[in-house]
């Protein structure tokens, strides 16, 4: 069958595109199906948000040969300052102390999309099929057949579902998910400030939820402000100046006066985890497998580690990409990373989105303690940099 592939990736967002690009040097025949045209700058996930990439993610992109294309759009995070509004205690993580050139990088999601899409258009072993949607799916022992909304039928040894939190593939397979609706909304915007950020990222926990400002280009900082569901309506409707005034009260004056705000966006926050992410000749990665609260900026970083481990397995000795052993091998490697990040993120949301006074004091004490315990702090820094987990060749700087 001419329409047969080794691997079909469904979803060309940050994670699906990264997998296609990681497999560039392989001799696999790959197709990627994306609901939006990749030539029109329309994909919803490639908006004006700043995405914090861990140092580990930067290393993966370096090995893939993509970092030189992403670097011009990135801003280095040299320090992270974490504090709790109204409570004693703060902690600071610094690249210098950790002995690394950067704790991470912040990249405009839109720029990342443009780099990925251009690189995919130039990739020889990849057929980009878009705009197209998967409408049906049939699994057999030998392959999976999928039907698209334009009437095409394709088959593959392996389907990788990278089609986001509301995965169509998951729905077609009728798979169960674990869900936790936080009843919170993230408000995003790019903010200009009176003082230069000097590469500092801030995470400040306030009664209405955490406020994070990540350093970006042109001395702007990328805001993620988490509020309870319902409170976002008023904040989104405020004039720019009233919004800045409100934010200033919550964030304080660490960057001086907040002077300008760009377009505001809002994202309802829910954790979803596909209960059985490995099926017969199908595997779920990225948000299709686990959609996280953005409190710790780990969603894409974890998805990229899924990509690195899966690409590693697909380029190893297995003759058939859909071999059940290969998929279970992938899951064995990646499961503990996924479980740890999901649990830690959930814990942070519960600890830091709670206005209980006792918890507030405990947080303050914890932050102060953390600041004087270099070992624990260093462990946390290493984890958030994605360095604690080096299970794939891409993460270790080795070509596939
Ligand atoms: C406010 C906010 C801030 C964040 N900040 C960070 C951060 O700083 N660092 C970090 O690591 N993570 C961050 N994240 C998380 C990050 O955005 C996600 O983890 C990441 O976008 C997931 O990418 P994905 O490719 O798995 O899914 P998506 O981005 O949802 O992409 C899925 C793709 O699949 C396509 N698709 C869907 N259905 C179909 C179908 N049936 N057929 C074909 N195509 C289909 C869609 O068009 C889309 O392009 C943040 C998230 C939010 C909400």
């Amino acid at each position: 069958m001419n329409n047969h592939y080794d691997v079909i990736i469904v979803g060309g967002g940050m994670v699906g595109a990264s997998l296609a690009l990681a497999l560039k040097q392989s001799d696999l025949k790959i197709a990627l199906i994306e609901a939006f045209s990749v030539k029109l700058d329309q994909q919803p996930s490639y908006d004006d948000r700043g995405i914090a990439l861990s140092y580990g993610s930067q290393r993966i992109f370096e090995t893939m040969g993509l970092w030189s294309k992403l670097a011009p759009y990135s801003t280095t995070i040299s320090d992270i300052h974490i504090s709790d509004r109204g409570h004693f205690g703060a902690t600071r993580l610094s690249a210098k102390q950790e002995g690394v050139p950067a704790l991470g990088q912040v990249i405009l999601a839109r720029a990342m999309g443009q780099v990925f899409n251009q690189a995919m258009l130039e990739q020889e072993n990849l057929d980009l099929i878009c705009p197209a949607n998967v409408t049906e799916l049939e699994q057999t022992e030998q392959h999976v057949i999928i039907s698209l909304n334009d009437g095409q039928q394709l088959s593959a040894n392996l389907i990788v579902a990278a089609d986001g939190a509301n995965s169509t593939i998951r729905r077609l397979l009728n798979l169960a998910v674990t869900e936790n609706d936080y009843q919170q909304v993230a408000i995003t915007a790019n903010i200009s400030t009176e003082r230069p950020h000097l590469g500092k990222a801030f995470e400040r926990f306030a009664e209405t939820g955490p406020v994070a400002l990540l350093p970006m280009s042109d001395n702007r900082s990328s805001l993620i402000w988490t509020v309870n569901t319902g409170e976002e309506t008023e904040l989104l409707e405020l004039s720019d100046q009233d919004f800045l005034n409100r934010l200033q009260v919550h964030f304080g004056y660490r960057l001086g006066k907040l002077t300008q705000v760009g377009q505001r966006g809002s994202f309802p926050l829910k954790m979803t985890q596909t209960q059985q992410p490995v099926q017969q000749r199908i595997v779920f990665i990225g948000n299709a497998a686990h959609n996280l609260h953005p409190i710790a900026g780990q969603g894409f970083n974890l998805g990229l580690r899924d990509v690195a481990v899966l690409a590693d397995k697909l380029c190893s000795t297995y003759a058939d990409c859909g071999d059940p052993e290969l998929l279970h091998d992938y899951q064995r490697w990646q499961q503990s990373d996924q479980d740890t990040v999901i649990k830690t993120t959930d814990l942070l949301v519960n600890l830091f989105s709670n206005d209980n006074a006792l918890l507030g004091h405990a947080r303050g004490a914890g932050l102060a303690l953390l600041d004087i315990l270099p070992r624990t702090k260093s462990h946390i820094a290493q984890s958030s940099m994605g360095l604690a987990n080096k299970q794939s060749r891409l993460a270790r700087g080795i070509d596939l």
Side-chain angles (χ1 to χ4, degrees):
M1 188 173 172
N2 209 6
N3 287 349
H4 184 79
Y5 293 89
D6 294 305
V7 181
I8 294 179
I9 302 166
V10 181
M14 290 175 206
V15 171
S18 297
L19 178 64
L21 295 166
L23 297 174
K24 182 179 176 178
Q25 306 297 346
S26 72
D27 49 14
L28 300 174
K29 186 180 172 205
I30 309 158
L32 183 142
I33 297 158
E34 165 56 42
F36 291 87
S37 164
V38 300
K39 290 186 183 160
L40 295 179
D41 196 16
Q42 285 178 334
Q43 286 162 271
S45 49
Y46 294 142
D47 55 15
D48 287 321
R49 264 176 306 150
I51 296 289
L53 289 184
S54 67
Y55 183 56
S57 294
Q58 177 184 336
R59 294 278 310 270
I60 291 173
F61 283 130
E62 279 168 5
T63 317
M64 285 165 64
L66 272 178
W67 183 247
S68 58
K69 293 183 181 144
L70 293 170
Y73 305 103
S74 74
T75 305
T76 297
I77 304 175
S78 54
D79 298 88
I80 303 178
H81 184 280
I82 307 168
S83 61
D84 196 356
R85 182 174 180 262
H87 295 99
F88 168 71
T91 195
R92 296 158 193 86
L93 307 173
S94 102
K96 213 168 171 188
Q97 271 172 13
E98 297 307 317
V100 290
L103 289 176
Q105 303 281 341
V106 182
I107 302 205
L108 197 66
R110 190 179 301 285
M112 190 150 64
Q114 284 160 357
V115 169
F116 288 173
N117 288 342
Q118 187 53 42
M120 284 200 295
L121 287 166
E122 292 163 9
Q123 187 166 324
E124 281 176 6
N125 64 344
L126 174 67
D127 286 346
L128 261 180
I129 302 172
C130 64
N133 265 289
V134 177
T135 52
E136 278 173 53
L137 182 147
E138 187 195 327
Q139 285 162 290
T140 73
E141 248 178 60
Q142 285 74 35
H143 51 238
V144 184
I145 301 168
I146 54 173
S147 308
L148 305 184
N149 58 334
D150 62 5
Q152 281 192 77
Q153 272 205 336
L154 313 172
S155 69
N157 287 22
L158 175 68
I159 299 284
V160 180
D163 52 349
N166 300 316
S167 167
T168 305
I169 301 296
R170 189 174 60 216
R171 184 172 47 75
L172 289 173
L173 291 171
N174 213 6
L175 295 181
V177 286
T178 308
E179 260 189 17
N180 188 358
D181 188 340
Y182 296 114
Q183 296 292 323
Q184 292 179 341
V185 174
I187 298 178
T188 57
N190 296 331
I191 307 283
S192 302
T193 57
E194 183 186 23
R195 283 197 215 137
H197 53 60
L198 304 175
K200 266 192 193 162
F202 295 89
E203 179 109 37
R204 185 148 174 78
F205 298 101
E207 302 85 64
T208 51
V211 174
L213 278 172
L214 307 172
M216 277 182 82
S217 55
D218 305 320
N219 198 40
R220 290 170 304 161
S221 290
S222 172
L223 168 75
I224 305 177
W225 186 358
T226 310
V227 298
N228 293 326
T229 302
E231 291 170 359
E232 78 283 8
T233 318
E234 188 204 354
L235 287 169
L236 292 168
E237 283 169 359
L238 287 176
S239 70
D240 284 0
Q241 193 50 57
D242 287 346
F243 180 80
L244 287 171
N245 292 344
R246 192 75 76 88
L247 178 61
Q248 188 93 60
V249 172
H250 285 277
F251 179 68
Y253 283 82
R254 287 196 165 81
L255 287 169
K257 215 166 159 2
L258 308 175
T259 55
Q260 251 185 304
V261 54
Q263 197 182 359
R264 282 165 257 171
S266 68
F267 299 82
L269 301 177
K270 204 188 216 185
M271 186 279 282
T272 45
Q273 186 179 15
T274 299
Q275 278 179 13
Q276 286 175 317
V278 167
Q279 297 284 321
Q280 180 174 272
R281 295 191 174 277
I282 299 176
V283 58
F284 290 77
I285 62 170
N287 271 22
H290 40 71
N291 176 37
L292 305 180
H293 191 295
I295 192 165
Q298 288 299 315
F300 176 56
N301 290 303
L302 176 61
L304 189 62
R305 295 200 294 277
D306 294 349
V307 164
V309 174
L310 183 59
D312 204 345
K313 302 295 165 207
L314 289 172
C315 293
S316 58
T317 49
Y318 294 96
D320 172 1
C321 293
D323 188 323
E325 251 319 296
L326 181 158
L327 298 181
H328 288 116
D329 202 13
Y330 159 77
Q331 194 55 22
R332 258 195 309 274
W333 281 107
Q334 217 19 30
Q335 187 75 58
S336 65
D337 190 9
Q338 293 175 352
D339 288 348
T340 307
V341 176
I342 291 166
K343 273 194 202 124
T344 315
T345 304
D346 222 38
L347 187 80
L348 281 175
V349 178
N350 290 326
L351 186 61
F352 285 106
S353 310
N354 200 315
D355 53 11
N356 177 306
L358 266 179
L359 269 183
H361 288 303
R363 280 193 307 254
L367 290 176
L369 197 63
L370 199 59
D371 208 40
I372 51 173
L373 287 176
R375 268 230 189 125
T376 318
K377 203 164 79 169
S378 190
H379 180 73
I380 289 176
Q382 296 280 323
S383 301
S384 66
M385 283 191 287
L387 293 180
N389 181 314
K390 286 194 178 178
Q391 289 168 338
S392 65
R393 280 178 284 174
L394 287 174
R396 283 181 278 138
I398 303 166
D399 284 335
L400 295 177

